[in-house]
Amino acid sequence: MSQPVSEFISQAAQLYAAQHDWLQPVRERGLEQWRDSKLPNRKTENWKYTSLKMLERGDYLAESASREPSEDLASHFEIAKTDGPRVVFVDGVFSPEYSRLDLPKGICLTTFSQADNAQREQILDHLGQTVAYESSPFACLNDSWLTDGVFLSVAANQRIESPIHVVYLTRSQERNFSVNQRLLAVLESGAEASLIEHFCGTDSPQNSFTNSVTEFVLQANARLTHYRLHMEQEQALHIGGIHAQLQRDSQLNSFQIATGGILKRLDVDVSLVGEGAHCELSGVYLPRGKQLVDFHTAMRHMVPNCTSNEIYRGIVADQSRAVFNGLIYIHPQAQKTSAQLSNKNLLTSDQAEVDTKPELQIYANDVQCAHGATVAQIDEQLLYYLCSRGIERKEAEVLLSFGFINELLNRLDDQAIQEHLRPILAKMFAKDPELARHLV
């Protein structure tokens, strides 16, 4: 039997003990907001298709057990041809053994726990400034649990050549546990960087709940390319948020990919607050079995002359479910806005389900906005065309399904990410190793 919602909020508030006194104001603010929050339920509009019962029933409100790795963990997160800076957390704890933090002058990459006084001031100046806490109760919880995180700061006009790889890996433990993840990236005027957020686990069945918050602050003319890989084992629970603020002429290009799980929810909230800002969002979600993936995006155009483009595609198999909600909000002052949103879904089973809801809220009169969503099954004519040329039906279904998302993979700037994802996805789509090799 699940515990009462109020009890869950109360117990969650008591989970993490205070560490690092300089973060105490953040924890106290988050704790107060969390205690005043109401846990989302099916009557909450943005959660009407996603239940939190698995989280409430699962007794995840315990810290991870501290233990040394008993195996080589690098094989679970290494990406070939990426040898740049890396930060690795194992079960929520920073792992110096697997991390590489050396960076040139003008670029700071550190953990909150290792930050010096100047870095602490920067963190406190920006932490939480991009988050809409009133609609993000789990971000409030993240604040109240805050003991460590990742801080990236790129000085004005500096550029990072290699992508920064931030890894969050979990292992199976004797009892269910919670992991709190926080990342703050501040790019000053004219700075450029590429960042990979990588959520993964060992091969054994997982029993973790990850609560993650990522914040991007892009100052004038800054450029950030971002990849978020949700590749956790299906038993892991994850509720996450990406919150970004874009100043004048800055650009954010973010790609997210998610395999399914018992509970997997990602909110992407972007505010364009400086003229000339541009944001590209794209994503792929791939639930199978009885898994769930829930994507909610909000693109907030607050000033004139900004542009945005969103493309999300999902392949939903077996008895799984996918949820996509994409909001484009145009402020009354945001004249000359151009915003596009496309969500396409492919059902490969009669029992699969997709709930998609693109939204436009336009309060300016000189804008160009478009949005659309489709839900379809594999085209029988295309299947017939392939089968008539000697391709087995199952093989043809795999080829068409993979082709449905291949366009987004081809658009990725980082070739190493493409080469890392293709064999993983090929194995998901084609159980026959010979066919999988043709897809890579």
Side-chain angles (χ1 to χ4, degrees):
M1 181 180 296
S2 63
Q3 56 191 317
V5 171
S6 59
E7 184 179 344
F8 180 88
I9 290 176
S10 176
Q11 290 185 6
Q14 301 172 31
L15 176 54
Y16 278 82
Q19 296 181 39
H20 311 301
D21 291 344
W22 63 280
L23 287 171
Q24 190 61 23
V26 179
R27 285 193 292 266
E28 290 178 353
R29 179 188 66 196
L31 187 59
E32 181 179 356
Q33 292 173 317
W34 171 250
R35 284 174 171 164
D36 291 339
S37 299
K38 293 183 179 178
L39 205 63
N41 56 43
R42 293 297 182 90
K43 294 182 180 180
T44 307
E45 180 62 27
N46 283 341
W47 290 81
K48 65 186 298 184
Y49 299 112
T50 299
S51 172
L52 293 174
K53 287 183 178 179
M54 292 302 299
L55 176 60
E56 297 173 54
R57 292 173 176 170
D59 192 21
Y60 288 92
L61 299 180
E63 292 186 64
S64 63
S66 178
R67 58 193 176 100
E68 294 296 321
S70 58
E71 58 178 304
D72 181 15
L73 301 177
S75 61
H76 298 290
F77 57 76
E78 282 189 332
I79 298 176
K81 300 180 182 179
T82 58
D83 56 359
R86 185 168 71 194
V87 184
V88 179
F89 281 75
V90 178
D91 296 333
V93 179
F94 173 62
S95 174
E97 176 184 354
Y98 293 106
S99 300
R100 300 188 295 259
L101 299 181
D102 292 334
L103 282 164
K105 186 177 180 180
I107 301 170
C108 163
L109 179 64
T110 186
T111 63
F112 290 5
S113 58
Q114 296 181 324
D116 61 28
N117 289 335
Q119 293 162 351
R120 291 177 183 181
E121 288 184 12
Q122 276 189 288
I123 292 170
L124 292 176
D125 283 345
H126 295 287
L127 199 68
Q129 298 304 306
T130 67
V131 181
Y133 286 104
E134 64 277 4
S135 58
S136 306
F138 284 93
C140 302
L141 182 61
N142 187 283
D143 277 0
S144 73
W145 284 354
L146 192 60
T147 58
D148 208 348
V150 178
F151 177 52
L152 169 65
S153 175
V154 186
N157 301 315
Q158 295 294 310
R159 183 174 185 269
I160 303 175
E161 296 293 337
S162 301
I164 293 172
H165 191 189
V166 181
V167 177
Y168 305 110
L169 181 139
T170 57
R171 300 169 292 174
S172 180
Q173 298 197 6
E174 290 185 2
R175 61 164 298 177
N176 297 351
F177 65 101
S178 291
V179 172
N180 202 57
Q181 305 288 9
R182 192 66 171 256
L183 186 149
L184 171 64
V186 179
L187 275 64
E188 296 182 5
S189 178
E192 294 186 32
S194 180
L195 175 68
I196 304 167
E197 282 190 287
H198 194 172
F199 296 88
C200 56
T202 54
D203 295 332
S204 57
Q206 300 293 299
N207 57 340
S208 62
F209 161 55
T210 298
N211 183 20
S212 67
V213 173
T214 295
E215 296 182 76
F216 298 139
V217 179
L218 274 60
Q219 298 180 4
N221 293 296
R223 305 284 188 275
L224 177 63
T225 301
H226 171 240
Y227 306 94
R228 185 167 171 125
L229 314 181
H230 280 273
M231 313 303 289
E232 301 110 320
Q233 195 267 349
E234 65 177 349
Q235 298 299 320
L237 280 65
H238 191 130
I239 297 177
I242 301 171
H243 306 269
Q245 185 182 89
L246 278 59
Q247 298 288 347
R248 176 179 57 83
D249 295 325
S250 62
Q251 291 187 17
L252 171 64
N253 189 331
S254 177
F255 170 79
Q256 308 107 40
I257 184 169
T259 54
I262 296 175
L263 170 63
K264 187 164 290 185
R265 164 75 177 235
L266 180 63
D267 289 80
V268 185
D269 198 311
V270 180
S271 294
L272 296 91
V273 299
E275 290 197 40
H278 175 71
C279 182
E280 293 270 347
L281 297 182
S282 59
V284 172
Y285 44 93
L286 305 161
R288 299 181 298 170
K290 295 184 178 181
Q291 300 169 356
L292 167 72
V293 176
D294 183 345
F295 268 86
H296 272 62
T297 71
M299 188 70 67
R300 306 182 191 278
H301 288 260
M302 309 303 290
V303 296
N305 300 306
C306 293
T307 55
S308 65
N309 186 39
E310 300 176 64
I311 303 175
Y312 284 84
R313 294 192 176 179
I315 300 179
V316 190
D318 307 321
Q319 296 174 293
S320 65
R321 292 178 55 244
V323 180
F324 179 84
N325 185 287
L327 168 66
I328 298 175
Y329 176 89
I330 312 296
H331 190 273
Q333 303 300 319
Q335 304 291 351
K336 305 294 183 181
T337 288
S338 176
Q340 315 291 326
L341 167 64
S342 170
N343 175 233
K344 295 182 179 181
N345 299 276
L346 183 66
L347 302 181
T348 61
S349 164
D350 292 337
Q351 296 177 294
E353 178 183 336
V354 173
D355 297 289
T356 178
K357 183 185 177 185
E359 297 181 73
L360 285 177
Q361 294 185 23
I362 302 175
Y363 300 99
N365 54 24
D366 187 6
V367 301
Q368 293 182 347
C369 296
H371 71 304
T374 61
V375 179
Q377 294 181 310
I378 294 177
D379 191 320
E380 286 293 332
Q381 288 187 335
L382 292 177
L383 278 175
Y384 176 78
Y385 176 84
L386 293 177
C387 292
S388 67
R389 278 149 180 78
I391 298 175
E392 295 286 341
R393 182 180 176 89
K394 287 187 176 181
E395 183 177 347
E397 289 175 347
V398 169
L399 291 172
L400 291 173
S401 297
F402 194 80
F404 185 70
I405 62 170
N406 198 42
E407 177 187 347
L408 293 187
L409 295 180
N410 287 335
R411 289 160 54 103
L412 301 182
D413 292 333
D414 195 312
Q415 189 68 29
I417 295 291
Q418 288 193 38
E419 294 178 5
H420 178 74
L421 290 177
R422 287 188 191 281
I424 296 174
L425 299 180
K427 188 176 180 180
M428 288 179 60
F429 284 106
K431 295 181 180 179
D432 181 353
E434 184 63 31
L435 178 54
R437 281 195 289 271
H438 291 301
L439 297 177
V440 176

